[in-house]
Amino acid sequence: MMNVMVKSMIITVVTLLAAWPAIAQQERKFIREGNELFEKQDFEKAEVEYRKAADKKANSFEAAFNMADALYKQKKYDEALEQFSALAKQETDKERLGEIYHNIGNTLLAMEKTDESIEAYKNSLRNRPASEQTKYNLEFARHKQQQDQQNQDQNKDQNKDQNKDQNKDQQNKDQQDQNKDQQNKDRQDQNKDQQNKNDQNKDQQQQHPQQQQGKISKEDAERLLEALQNDEKNVQEKVQKQKAQEQKV
């Protein structure tokens, strides 16, 4: 019974070894087709072929790397970053690690994560220090970092100026409101003073009614003047008559 089992295990191993070249050939075939599509910039279909290759050979570095690159070209940055990061964790070859971190830097830069992209490019150069392309991308990322910082500072200054202007406008508005309130208060005080004067005059009229009654109208004054003139005329006539009589005597 034990001999049968051993024989069966040997047959299984032999069968797997016999199938290995065919699996490898299929993997290479899918990668070649994916590369052709990638060159034609048909990145979506290229991704499909690379996935087929990865299914045939789970640990295929080329299939996984190219699939991540195809995702990047489709601007599927989150998926591409996840794929590149997974490769970085399991790869030990320095040249390959340099390539992986270079593409991680590109992906992070496209995601506007400039600070993180700089660190990725540095990791790439630690593993592949002679890469001129990585050095160029690192300097580009650093320049972008400086520009971003300058833009942030300018925005802070603009916001600060805007806040100053807003505060100044608010102060002017507050001052206008205060002036308006003071004007309203002054007007109310004036109205109150006038009302008090009117009330005082009314009280005086009620307290001194005889003074008010002692006043004569214009018509009464004219009649009185006429009466005085008539009296004066009568006096003058009497004086003249008396003089005339004295002259006769």
Side-chain angles (χ1 to χ4, degrees):
M1 183 68 178
M2 289 180 62
N3 291 336
V4 174
M5 290 179 64
V6 171
K7 185 177 180 180
S8 177
M9 288 175 64
I10 293 173
I11 292 173
T12 301
V13 172
V14 171
T15 302
L16 289 174
L17 291 174
W20 185 257
I23 294 174
Q25 289 178 359
Q26 289 178 343
E27 177 234 350
R28 296 302 309 166
K29 174 177 175 294
F30 289 134
I31 290 176
R32 284 194 301 271
E33 291 176 354
N35 290 345
E36 291 175 1
L37 291 167
F38 193 96
E39 290 296 327
K40 295 177 181 178
Q41 297 188 354
D42 192 346
F43 304 119
E44 186 175 357
K45 289 183 179 179
E47 177 198 343
V48 173
E49 297 303 315
Y50 293 138
R51 288 188 182 277
K52 290 179 181 178
D55 289 340
K56 292 298 180 181
K57 186 179 178 182
N59 61 345
S60 172
F61 172 83
E62 190 174 0
F65 184 91
N66 290 2
M67 179 174 62
D69 209 9
L71 290 168
Y72 170 84
K73 292 293 186 180
Q74 296 176 73
K75 297 183 179 181
K76 297 179 180 179
Y77 300 128
D78 289 331
E79 296 180 53
L81 183 61
E82 182 179 357
Q83 185 71 23
F84 282 129
S85 298
L87 281 172
K89 290 178 181 179
Q90 64 188 24
E91 188 57 57
T92 57
D93 182 82
K94 282 188 169 295
E95 184 67 22
R96 286 182 174 180
L97 272 174
E99 293 177 358
I100 293 169
Y101 278 115
H102 177 91
N103 280 17
I104 288 176
N106 291 346
T107 306
L108 290 168
L109 193 63
M111 297 171 73
E112 298 293 334
K113 296 181 178 181
T114 309
D115 295 343
E116 295 178 38
S117 73
I118 291 174
E119 294 304 317
Y121 290 134
K122 288 180 179 179
N123 282 333
S124 177
L125 289 173
R126 290 187 185 102
N127 290 279
R128 196 176 54 164
S131 174
E132 294 297 326
Q133 183 62 48
T134 303
K135 291 178 182 178
Y136 174 85
N137 287 12
L138 175 59
E139 290 305 314
F140 178 85
R142 283 173 172 168
H143 180 69
K144 186 176 184 301
Q145 184 185 50
Q146 292 176 355
Q147 286 184 328
D148 292 342
Q149 185 62 46
Q150 290 175 356
N151 291 335
Q152 289 178 1
D153 293 340
Q154 288 178 355
N155 290 334
K156 286 180 181 179
D157 293 338
Q158 289 177 355
N159 292 334
K160 189 176 181 180
D161 292 338
Q162 288 178 355
N163 290 334
K164 284 183 178 179
D165 292 339
Q166 289 176 355
N167 291 334
K168 187 175 180 180
D169 292 340
Q170 185 63 40
Q171 289 176 354
N172 291 336
K173 185 177 182 299
D174 292 341
Q175 186 63 42
Q176 291 175 355
D177 291 340
Q178 288 177 359
N179 292 338
K180 187 176 180 180
D181 292 340
Q182 186 62 41
Q183 290 175 355
N184 291 334
K185 186 176 182 300
D186 292 342
R187 192 177 295 109
Q188 290 175 356
D189 291 340
Q190 290 176 357
N191 293 336
K192 186 176 180 180
D193 291 342
Q194 185 63 40
Q195 183 64 37
N196 290 335
K197 289 180 179 179
N198 293 337
D199 292 340
Q200 288 176 358
N201 291 335
K202 185 176 180 181
D203 292 339
Q204 289 176 357
Q205 291 175 2
Q206 292 175 352
Q207 292 173 1
H208 307 285
Q210 293 178 354
Q211 293 180 3
Q212 297 296 329
Q213 292 175 1
K215 292 182 179 180
I216 61 175
S217 65
K218 183 179 179 182
E219 291 81 3
D220 292 337
E222 290 177 352
R223 284 195 296 269
L224 181 59
L225 180 60
E226 184 178 357
L228 291 173
Q229 289 175 349
N230 289 333
D231 291 341
E232 184 179 358
K233 184 178 180 182
N234 292 334
V235 171
Q236 288 179 356
E237 287 178 354
K238 287 180 180 181
V239 171
Q240 288 176 359
K241 287 180 181 181
Q242 186 176 0
K243 287 180 179 182
Q245 288 178 357
E246 290 177 352
Q247 288 176 358
K248 289 179 179 181
V249 173

